[in-house]
Amino acid sequence: MLQNESDTFDIGGELTVHRLGFGAMRLTGEDIIGRPDDEADAEHVLQTAVNLGIDFVDTADSYGPGVSERLIREALAPYPEDLVVATKGGLLRNRDGDWLPRGDPDHLRNAHLCSLDRLGVETIDLYQYHRPDPDVDFEESVTALAELKDEGVIEHVGLSNVSVEQLETARDIVDIATVQNRFNLGHRDDDDVLAACEDYDIGFIPWSPLAAGDVDEKSDALADVASERDATEYQVMLAWLLEHSPVTLPIPGTADVEHLKQNVGATHLDLTDEEMSRLDE
């Protein structure tokens, strides 16, 4: 099996991971609610990811909710020494599939406590605020995570779905190790956030890295490059993200082992400057 050949990034200047990670959102039921149809198969996907050299797994308490975190523990604990497990808090779910912001400090503290239990750890490597809550002062939410970091139950703090202004505000409160925003070949609205992460050596985790297959005006160039390189379009999109910036940490998710292997294969695809230029046009 091809191994993860992506280069590395030091999250928070301390946690060294290969830049291609794994997103565990899809290892749940339909609409990211409830258990998957086959839990043993989901655990096998996680174990295969680690065997392929993936050492960065990202999840959230809202995936399931709670299901993804529990599966990670059941599949991977006791965790390999070099494995970094990141999770997120700040969203509630319901049976309608809604994602409801909850950023009040009490909720974040409780969510973090539950994640500790489900993951089976005493300290979470990277804990991310999942989405700013419009009904809660942003500084209060970040301060709650800063306090948990001071207590030693969070090693590094991350943010998700934030603007440059919010990143700057958070950095005045606590060291920010990562930002997780939507970003892919067809969606680059947060170029300014990525640029700020580059300036501060903050890891940028692009969610929806494969664009759900929607690349609009990039589709022709993408198809041409994939055909010329005998690669899948998804592999080209991942290779583009890895080449686009040295701080990007793509976390493609899947519930299928063969798809997982294809994603890892993208780390063996070095795009040329000419190919990058065609994809960027």
Side-chain angles (χ1 to χ4, degrees):
M1 292 187 295
L2 291 177
Q3 292 290 299
N4 186 359
E5 294 292 337
S6 60
D7 57 3
T8 61
F9 182 83
D10 295 337
I11 294 175
E14 296 178 348
L15 302 178
T16 301
V17 298
H18 285 88
R19 287 177 53 215
L20 184 78
F22 178 79
M25 183 179 74
R26 296 293 175 187
L27 300 180
T28 61
E30 187 178 355
D31 294 327
I32 324 300
I33 295 290
R35 299 178 179 184
D37 292 336
D38 188 333
E39 291 202 6
D41 189 57
E43 292 179 19
H44 178 57
V45 171
L46 285 162
Q47 293 161 352
T48 302
V50 171
N51 290 336
L52 291 172
I54 290 175
D55 49 18
F56 178 47
V57 174
D58 178 84
T59 187
D61 68 342
S62 53
Y63 300 162
V67 173
S68 178
E69 290 180 327
R70 175 178 57 80
L71 287 173
I72 288 170
R73 177 182 183 174
E74 292 175 354
L76 302 177
Y79 300 108
E81 186 175 346
D82 62 347
L83 180 66
V84 172
V85 178
T87 193
K88 298 180 284 292
L91 291 178
L92 292 181
R93 304 300 309 283
N94 58 32
R95 292 188 181 277
D96 293 329
D98 297 322
W99 303 81
L100 308 173
R102 280 295 300 273
D104 61 276
D106 285 340
H107 173 79
L108 291 175
R109 283 185 168 276
N110 180 260
H112 168 267
L113 195 61
C114 293
S115 291
L116 285 177
D117 180 67
R118 284 189 292 262
L119 290 171
V121 296
E122 295 182 357
T123 301
I124 292 177
D125 298 328
L126 173 64
Y127 194 82
Q128 304 155 91
Y129 183 26
H130 207 152
R131 182 183 300 164
D133 184 341
D135 296 325
V136 177
D137 183 82
F138 181 70
E139 295 184 22
E140 290 184 9
S141 303
V142 176
T143 296
L145 301 189
E147 291 170 351
L148 290 171
K149 184 174 187 289
D150 289 341
E151 293 168 16
V153 290
I154 290 175
E155 189 166 354
H156 295 284
V157 174
L159 304 172
S160 185
N161 299 298
V162 294
S163 65
V164 171
E165 181 180 4
Q166 288 168 325
L167 173 58
E168 298 288 5
T169 296
R171 290 184 68 246
D172 288 337
I173 299 170
V174 65
D175 289 336
I176 299 299
T178 60
V179 170
Q180 184 167 165
N181 281 16
R182 183 184 180 195
F183 194 89
N184 53 58
L185 181 63
H187 183 94
R188 296 172 54 180
D189 293 353
D190 285 346
D191 266 323
D192 57 340
V193 180
L194 173 57
C197 288
E198 291 174 340
D199 289 342
Y200 301 130
D201 200 28
I202 290 172
F204 184 86
I205 306 171
W207 65 262
S208 188
L210 299 178
D214 183 10
V215 290
D216 296 329
E217 71 274 8
K218 306 286 186 182
S219 58
D220 289 343
L222 177 61
D224 289 344
V225 172
S227 176
E228 293 163 8
R229 298 299 297 270
D230 193 26
T232 69
E233 293 186 6
Y234 288 155
Q235 287 175 325
V236 173
M237 283 191 277
L238 289 174
W240 177 85
L241 278 170
L242 290 167
E243 183 66 28
H244 183 69
S245 169
V247 304
T248 53
L249 304 168
I251 49 166
T254 180
D256 181 79
V257 166
E258 290 307 312
H259 187 199
L260 170 64
K261 292 177 181 178
Q262 289 181 9
N263 289 342
V264 170
T267 67
H268 296 256
L269 180 62
D270 294 322
L271 297 178
T272 66
D273 290 343
E274 187 271 339
E275 289 168 335
M276 289 294 294
S277 177
R278 286 160 60 191
L279 292 169
D280 284 334
E281 288 179 355

